[in-house]
Amino acid sequence: MTAFDDAGPVVARLDEPRGDHTRFAVLADPHVSTREEGTSKLFEHTLDHLEAAVADIGRRDVDAVLSPGDLTKDGEPWNYDAVDRALSELDVPFYAVPGNHDVPKTRDEHDPLSVDGFADRYGPGELPYHVEVGSLDVIGLNTAGTADRLYESHEGRVTEATLDWLGETLAETETPVVLLHHNLPAVSDQIDAHREIESEMVEIPAMVDADPLAETLADGGAQLLLSGHYHLPATGEYHGLREIAAPTTCSFPQSYLLCETTPAGTTIRLVPIADEVGLETAHARRTDDSATAKGLTAIAAARLASFPLVNE
């Protein structure tokens, strides 16, 4: 078996994107914390989980690693330093977009990393951006905030300027894959629907005014959206756009996505980065943490039991 075939269960088989052989990993929401413990994120194990993911990715022959953000607990400089040490073991490009925990908040008691600083440190130096990964056009969008908007919110939004840039950029690409932190309604509505089962779940910050973004993406022929945020594997289709939400490395089901594009389409696999005891421990801790964490754990377990989520 190849380094792809033995990686883990198939999450999705997609007709698009298709192209020359390209393999990449999606590493989401590690929330690295080196000074805290507890919660469903298992803070005391977050760095270990990230290091395990990086080590596993290192033997998968990937062209790049993509991340939809939330690299640290709340943007602490010492946690970014720990992330950097872990990522230094990669020998391929790493391209991230900021998550809601990556953008500064005025209530921060530490010296936060600016959005521009994040773009320099974990991307090509700008946001939004367009980079080539193998045969794919990867487009990174900032849905989490800039200095003049959303710093005090965990919701997602894109600016008019970003939409204008996006429309122009999509027109120049052949196989656009879009990386963003927040989810479109086809995924976020699944979380809201679970409140019929777990009524005490709190409302999780979602994308605000998603339609202009979705319409721009659809008009420009975006072939795949890769997101994070909810810490579980999921998929949805909105305005004809296929979205795959990546699981987190920090809490159940501690894992990342391994994606392979060929002339026949794209296959996505889930790669666990904890052993059975670790997964069972994370499941128990996340279930006991809060009504919201319990609900998200139930959704994650249901999705895992339903693989593949898409089989085109």
Side-chain angles (χ1 to χ4, degrees):
M1 300 178 73
T2 70
F4 181 75
D5 293 334
D6 70 352
V10 173
V11 179
R13 296 185 182 92
L14 307 173
D15 289 336
E16 292 183 330
R18 62 182 67 187
D20 295 339
H21 183 271
T22 302
R23 186 180 295 168
F24 61 96
V26 182
L27 198 163
D29 297 85
H31 286 283
V32 167
S33 177
T34 58
R35 300 182 183 179
E36 291 81 17
E37 296 182 354
T39 84
S40 65
K41 295 174 183 175
L42 303 176
F43 281 133
E44 65 272 26
H45 298 298
T46 49
L47 182 57
D48 294 337
H49 289 155
L50 176 59
E51 290 173 341
V54 167
D56 191 88
I57 290 169
R59 67 184 187 87
R60 300 295 180 182
D61 192 24
V62 301
D63 295 291
V65 179
L66 310 181
S67 176
D70 275 357
L71 300 184
T72 65
K73 176 181 177 288
D74 284 303
E76 302 86 352
W78 55 90
N79 289 330
Y80 277 125
D81 289 343
V83 169
D84 290 350
R85 289 193 295 272
L87 295 181
S88 69
E89 297 299 316
L90 292 172
D91 59 2
V92 296
F94 178 83
Y95 299 116
V97 294
N100 53 296
H101 287 271
D102 292 319
V103 297
K105 305 287 189 290
T106 56
R107 60 183 176 272
D108 289 340
E109 297 181 355
H110 53 267
D111 186 18
L113 181 66
S114 68
V115 172
D116 288 342
F118 186 96
D120 287 335
R121 200 160 169 174
Y122 302 110
E126 59 186 0
L127 280 166
Y129 60 78
H130 169 211
V131 294
E132 294 183 359
V133 174
S135 62
L136 304 176
D137 294 287
V138 174
I139 294 173
L141 299 180
N142 175 15
T143 64
T146 62
D148 58 354
R149 66 182 178 91
L150 291 182
Y151 266 0
E152 300 316 307
S153 170
H154 287 277
E155 294 175 327
R157 192 192 298 270
V158 295
T159 63
E160 289 292 334
T162 295
L163 292 177
D164 292 341
W165 176 92
L166 181 59
E168 294 173 0
T169 302
L170 286 169
E172 300 172 352
T173 62
E174 294 184 3
T175 53
V177 173
V178 179
L179 181 67
L180 71 173
H181 183 72
H182 292 83
N183 316 87
L184 294 186
V187 170
S188 58
D189 287 352
Q190 297 174 36
I191 311 301
D192 294 334
H194 192 75
R195 288 192 185 85
E196 295 184 8
I197 300 171
E198 194 68 49
S199 61
E200 295 183 4
M201 285 182 67
V202 302
E203 185 172 347
I204 300 174
M207 186 81 79
V208 176
D209 197 18
D211 283 351
L213 172 60
E215 291 164 3
T216 302
L217 290 169
D219 290 345
Q223 296 182 0
L224 177 63
L225 275 59
L226 297 168
S227 61
H229 193 45
Y230 289 129
H231 296 193
L232 52 84
T235 187
E237 190 171 346
Y238 191 72
H239 284 260
L241 299 161
R242 171 60 61 188
E243 177 181 349
I244 299 291
T248 175
T249 60
C250 73
S251 59
F252 181 82
Q254 309 97 297
S255 49
Y256 73 90
L257 299 181
L258 186 64
C259 312
E260 187 169 70
T261 296
T262 70
T266 293
T267 301
I268 300 174
R269 293 181 179 272
L270 182 139
V271 187
I273 50 89
D275 60 18
E276 289 184 359
V277 172
L279 288 166
E280 291 168 6
T281 299
H283 186 282
R285 291 274 293 276
R286 196 176 188 189
T287 300
D288 290 342
D289 186 61
S290 67
T292 301
K294 180 180 179 181
L296 292 173
T297 307
I299 298 170
R303 299 300 177 269
L304 291 170
S306 302
F307 282 175
L309 301 177
V310 186
N311 195 7
E312 296 177 343

